[in-house]
Structure formats: structure tokens, C-alpha cells
Amino acid sequence: MDKFIDLTPENIENEHLCCIIRSKKTHPGVEAKRAWLAERLTEGHIFRKLDEKATVFIEYTPLEKAWVPIEGDNYIYIYCLWVLGDYREHGYGKKLMESCIADAKAQGRSGVCMLGSLKQKAWLSDQAFAKRFGFVAVDTAGEYELLALSFDGSVPHFTERAKAQTIDEQELTVYYSPQCPYTYHSITAVKKYCEGNGIPYRLIKVDSLQKAKELPCVFNNWAVFYGGKFQTVNQLDGGMLDKIMAREDA
């Protein structure tokens, strides 16, 4: 029978973190995630995974401790829910979502929420899947939505600052946190592209709950601005940066 386990302070050093990164050597992005996660586990943060070296996991936390510019009373926030490769179509995603909802009800929470968008984004969990459980859009920030499954009629919301989606600085600006192991790859790609093409840029590490709650845009672990305007939560490579700058500079 398939077994799910939760990461704990006792097992986190030895458990596979279920990301798309496959490396037998120590990986900077994975270790940064491991360190970040170790600090969050004392805050009620849950990382539940299939007991295999596979991308089958859900990650969630009390909304008041979630590193996102979202507010609400007594909610759970889902950062990630992923099932990839040969593990799809086996009901794992359903079991993981049901376990999160059951946890929220057992804790007496008001509901569960997650970040979505009008059009599915590559770096966001499948919102169509979430809607099958009763999640609905309860707030918007540009093309992004806050999806919630409410148990008592109350709903969370984006902060007013997150809805602004503008900054004064015009150069390429990336906000990022070490929560996602793949951030290391994306930051390296942004640096290489910008330095190779003489493009000014700023990389801003979101390294505290307060900084995350005060961000000027929606955020799950990554956010991009160019020309003072919010662009995307998708992590980037050179080709994607080309498209963003061509569109804004046209």
C-alpha cells in the first residue's frame, strides 16, 4: 500500500524533497530549500510526500505564517501540490488534497486557499484540479486569482499592496525566496542573460515573513517586474526575458 510521510525535524536531512531537480551531488537550490523548510516546520508548515524518490507532494501552512501577500483569518495556504511523471493518474493528487482539507477541518480552520490565475501558469499548481474540490475565486490581482475553499463563509484576500503591481524602479527586478529549489537555476539564468547582454537588473531576496507580506505583487516564491510593471510569477530563462522586454519596449 502506498505510504505518505510528513517531513519532520528528525527526518528532513535524509528525505528526498520531491522536486524536478535530479542530482546525486549536493545541490545549492535543494539545500537552500531544506534549510528554509527546517525553520518553517516549527510553524505548522506541512510537507507531505509519497515515500518514494518522486515528485508527489503537497506543501501547506497556516496563512498567517505563509510567505505570500495574502491575509485572512484562520486559513490554510497551499504553496504547492504536484504529481508528475509515471505517478500521475493513480489518485495521489486527490489523496494529498483530501489530507490537507481534513487537516484544516481537524484544526478548526475556516478554510483552505491557494494562488491561481485566469490562465493556468506553469509554476502554479493545477487550479482546475482544485476547483473540483470546491475552490472558487474570492479575490483578484490583475490576471491572478485567490482561490479558496471556505468552511464557514469567510474568505481571505490579497493585500492592497499586492494589488498595486507596480514599483518605481524601471529595470528588470526579480523578487525570490529560497522556498523553491529551482530558484537557484532561474537566478543563475537571469544573471547570465543580463550580464551577457548589458541589461541592468535587481535581484531581491525575500528572506522574512514580513518582507513577503509586504510585497508589491502576488507571489508564491518568485515575481518579476520590468518597466515598473509586474510581469509574472513564472520562473524565467533568457527566451522568456526576451519576450517580456520586447513587449514592454515596443
Side-chain angles (χ1 to χ4, degrees), residues 153-168:
S154 67
V155 293
H157 59 89
F158 291 117
T159 64
E160 288 304 310
R161 178 75 172 127
K163 292 183 179 183
Q165 300 195 93
T166 60
I167 57 176
D168 293 334

Side-chain angles (χ1 to χ4, degrees), residues 90-110:
H90 292 282
Y92 293 134
K94 181 174 183 289
K95 291 178 182 177
L96 288 167
M97 180 65 87
E98 288 176 342
S99 74
C100 173
I101 294 171
D103 279 356
K105 289 181 176 179
Q107 294 172 25
R109 294 283 174 175
S110 294

Side-chain angles (χ1 to χ4, degrees), residues 44-99:
H45 189 112
I46 298 295
F47 190 111
R48 181 167 296 136
K49 58 179 288 257
L50 188 66
D51 192 13
E52 300 283 349
K53 287 187 176 180
T55 306
V56 183
F57 72 100
I58 189 169
E59 187 173 359
Y60 58 91
T61 198
L63 180 57
E64 61 270 21
K65 294 294 185 180
W67 286 30
V68 292
I70 298 170
E71 297 174 335
D73 293 330
N74 207 30
Y75 261 74
I76 290 290
Y77 180 80
I78 298 176
Y79 286 110
C80 301
L81 170 56
W82 291 103
V83 179
L84 299 182
D86 295 338
Y87 294 88
R88 294 174 63 88
E89 309 300 330
H90 292 282
Y92 293 134
K94 181 174 183 289
K95 291 178 182 177
L96 288 167
M97 180 65 87
E98 288 176 342
S99 74

Side-chain angles (χ1 to χ4, degrees), residues 56-199:
V56 183
F57 72 100
I58 189 169
E59 187 173 359
Y60 58 91
T61 198
L63 180 57
E64 61 270 21
K65 294 294 185 180
W67 286 30
V68 292
I70 298 170
E71 297 174 335
D73 293 330
N74 207 30
Y75 261 74
I76 290 290
Y77 180 80
I78 298 176
Y79 286 110
C80 301
L81 170 56
W82 291 103
V83 179
L84 299 182
D86 295 338
Y87 294 88
R88 294 174 63 88
E89 309 300 330
H90 292 282
Y92 293 134
K94 181 174 183 289
K95 291 178 182 177
L96 288 167
M97 180 65 87
E98 288 176 342
S99 74
C100 173
I101 294 171
D103 279 356
K105 289 181 176 179
Q107 294 172 25
R109 294 283 174 175
S110 294
V112 182
C113 62
M114 60 185 283
L115 182 63
S117 64
L118 297 177
K119 182 179 179 181
Q120 179 68 43
K121 302 296 183 182
W123 290 86
L124 294 180
S125 299
D126 187 347
Q127 60 201 39
F129 174 77
K131 289 177 180 179
R132 294 204 292 270
F133 289 84
F135 284 74
V136 296
V138 296
D139 201 4
T140 59
E143 64 178 314
Y144 290 85
E145 297 179 324
L146 177 58
L147 304 178
L149 173 62
S150 178
F151 305 148
D152 62 9
S154 67
V155 293
H157 59 89
F158 291 117
T159 64
E160 288 304 310
R161 178 75 172 127
K163 292 183 179 183
Q165 300 195 93
T166 60
I167 57 176
D168 293 334
E169 294 77 11
Q170 298 297 298
E171 68 264 46
L172 178 71
T173 301
V174 177
Y175 294 89
Y176 70 97
S177 81
Q179 184 204 348
C180 177
Y182 206 78
T183 294
Y184 176 82
H185 285 292
S186 298
I187 289 297
T188 301
V190 168
K191 287 181 177 179
K192 181 178 180 181
Y193 177 87
C194 290
E195 291 170 5
N197 291 278
I199 298 171

